[in-house]
Amino acid sequence: MPTPAHETAPFGAVFAEKMALSRWDGERFEEPRLEPVAPLSIHPAAHVLHYSSSVFEGLKAHRGIMGDLRLFRLDRHIERMQASARLLYLPPPDGPLLERMIIEVVDAAREAIPDPPGSLYLRPTLVGTEANVGAAASPSKQALLYVLASPVGDYFSGGIRPLKVVVEVNRPRSTPTFGMAKTGANYAAALGLIMEAKHTHAADQVLFAPGGDVQETGAANFILLDDDRVLTKPLDPSFLPGVTRDSVLVIARDLGYEVIEADFTIDEMLEFAERGEAALSGTAAVLAGVGTILHEGTEHKVGSGEVGPNTLRLRAALTALQTGVAPDIHGWIRAV
Ligand SMILES: *Cc1c(COP(=O)(O)O)cnc(C)c1O
């Protein structure tokens, strides 16, 4: 049998055949439709193309060990998309509508969902489509909501490798309040710094710590951990409230770790990292271990410099829950 495309293509570059769409006419979302994935027709003056009125989500459906299909923390992702939409003055889709669209797309992709460690990555997207280049200071009067799906393989198909992050103290990833929104403009704003970190330092990511306040990386939350504790910044409007972050904290408590949500400085982080572990958390990779932190030209090894045992343990505990190897004691799974 030929190798399935999702195993050779980069994460997110292969799509399921069907997507769900619903247009908003200024008052309501129309009845959603399931359509073949194809280029969209939007006006060149569409609000999103000029004024970045876009928000998105990223969540996964997993094939369970019994062959069942399982959406992970659907309610949280729907709530966050609504919150992002409100921040951008886009119409927040009703929970039941968005839920139905996501479930229809998963159902239509049923045969194409890879076995674990692969999954179906879902990308609900909402953009302003009003054709009006004069609308820079007003919300879009029309919008398009759609749900794309991408079968994805093992995020670490090339093997688990410790990441290198560069600490950025001067420039923020986003603005206060917009840090909470999953909106395209934030990634555009952070890209220059990430490119710089890649080219100048051969780093994988930038760890944003404006004014010394360690927040998160370009597209993932940041946690410190050791055999006894998990430490991360408490939720505030400056950074994205990750569903993985929340899930890892709950599972860590279940496993007996002391979970500390507290602000910490770069010095405190570097001291912790001497003997502890650091990891990035997000839906795509779950937990990715950090091996090196580069700060002011000095490379600080995190623990042994390899991905730590507690990082691997928490990652395994979370994926076990997603795939049904462990029971769903928190009610996080929506069967499809
Ligand atoms: C999506 C995202 C995260 C992780 O959120 P999850 O819900 O865990 O996937 C963290 N930070 C940023 C900036 C993100 O875009």
Side-chain angles (χ1 to χ4, degrees):
M1 248 183 28
T3 309
H6 68 261
E7 285 183 13
T8 49
F11 182 95
V14 173
F15 299 97
E17 282 172 22
K18 295 285 174 64
M19 62 181 173
L21 289 96
S22 169
R23 288 185 186 274
W24 180 74
D25 62 7
E27 282 178 19
R28 60 185 64 82
F29 283 97
E30 69 181 4
E31 191 58 20
R33 288 162 292 145
L34 201 60
E35 290 187 359
V37 171
L40 296 168
S41 166
I42 55 173
H43 197 281
H47 200 273
V48 60
L49 299 179
H50 301 267
Y51 306 122
S52 290
S53 47
S54 76
V55 298
F56 67 92
E57 264 307 316
L59 70 160
K60 280 179 174 171
H62 302 265
R63 196 181 288 286
I65 45 166
M66 307 304 284
D68 52 332
L69 291 185
R70 309 157 61 88
L71 271 163
F72 186 66
R73 304 201 76 176
L74 176 62
D75 51 345
R76 280 297 186 106
H77 287 281
I78 288 175
E79 282 166 22
R80 191 171 65 189
M81 182 141 189
Q82 293 167 331
S84 295
R86 280 186 207 102
L87 278 166
L88 273 283
Y89 282 81
L90 281 163
D94 298 337
L97 173 89
L98 184 52
E99 176 170 328
R100 184 146 64 92
M101 289 172 71
I102 292 170
I103 286 173
E104 276 175 10
V105 169
V106 174
D107 192 39
R110 195 167 281 276
E111 303 307 320
I113 302 181
D115 288 327
S119 61
L120 187 69
Y121 180 79
L122 293 146
R123 175 51 67 93
T125 308
L126 174 64
V127 296
T129 50
E130 185 191 354
N132 179 0
V133 292
S138 51
S140 179
K141 292 194 179 72
Q142 285 148 21
L144 175 65
L145 172 67
Y146 59 92
V147 179
L148 258 181
S150 172
V152 293
D154 184 359
Y155 195 84
F156 293 108
S157 56
I160 289 189
R161 174 182 68 85
L163 303 179
K164 179 172 168 182
V165 299
V166 181
V167 182
E168 170 61 48
V169 288
N170 295 317
R171 293 165 291 183
R173 181 184 83 89
S174 173
T175 60
T177 75
F178 252 53
M180 286 176 85
K182 233 172 156 61
T183 180
N186 280 342
Y187 307 85
L191 188 58
L193 282 166
I194 295 169
M195 295 302 286
E196 208 175 292
K198 283 185 178 168
H199 288 141
T200 317
H201 305 294
D204 298 288
Q205 257 296 348
V206 174
L207 177 59
F208 290 92
D213 171 34
V214 181
Q215 294 177 339
E216 64 170 334
T217 62
N221 295 130
F222 182 75
I223 65 171
L224 293 167
L225 64 168
D226 62 17
D227 293 347
D228 309 307
R229 297 170 295 171
V230 175
L231 169 64
T232 195
K233 183 175 172 61
L235 293 182
D236 75 23
S238 71
F239 74 104
L240 212 279
V243 177
T244 314
R245 171 194 177 279
D246 182 77
S247 308
V248 165
L249 297 187
V250 170
I251 287 173
R253 273 190 206 100
D254 291 347
L255 293 174
Y257 290 85
E258 182 191 357
V259 171
I260 309 161
E261 291 181 80
D263 287 313
F264 52 90
T265 64
I266 295 167
D267 286 342
E268 286 164 342
M269 167 180 73
L270 294 175
E271 198 189 314
F272 192 110
E274 271 177 35
R275 257 165 268 148
E277 304 171 25
L280 309 189
S281 85
T283 294
V286 184
L287 275 181
V290 175
T292 309
I293 298 173
L294 182 68
H295 177 52
E296 287 178 341
T298 306
E299 289 201 357
H300 301 263
K301 223 201 274 182
V302 180
S304 64
E306 296 302 317
V307 178
N310 294 288
T311 301
L312 294 173
R313 183 180 177 210
L314 285 171
R315 183 173 199 278
L318 182 48
T319 54
L321 215 149
Q322 290 171 327
T323 54
V325 171
D328 177 27
I329 55 172
H330 299 291
W332 287 347
I333 305 298
R334 171 73 153 83
V336 180

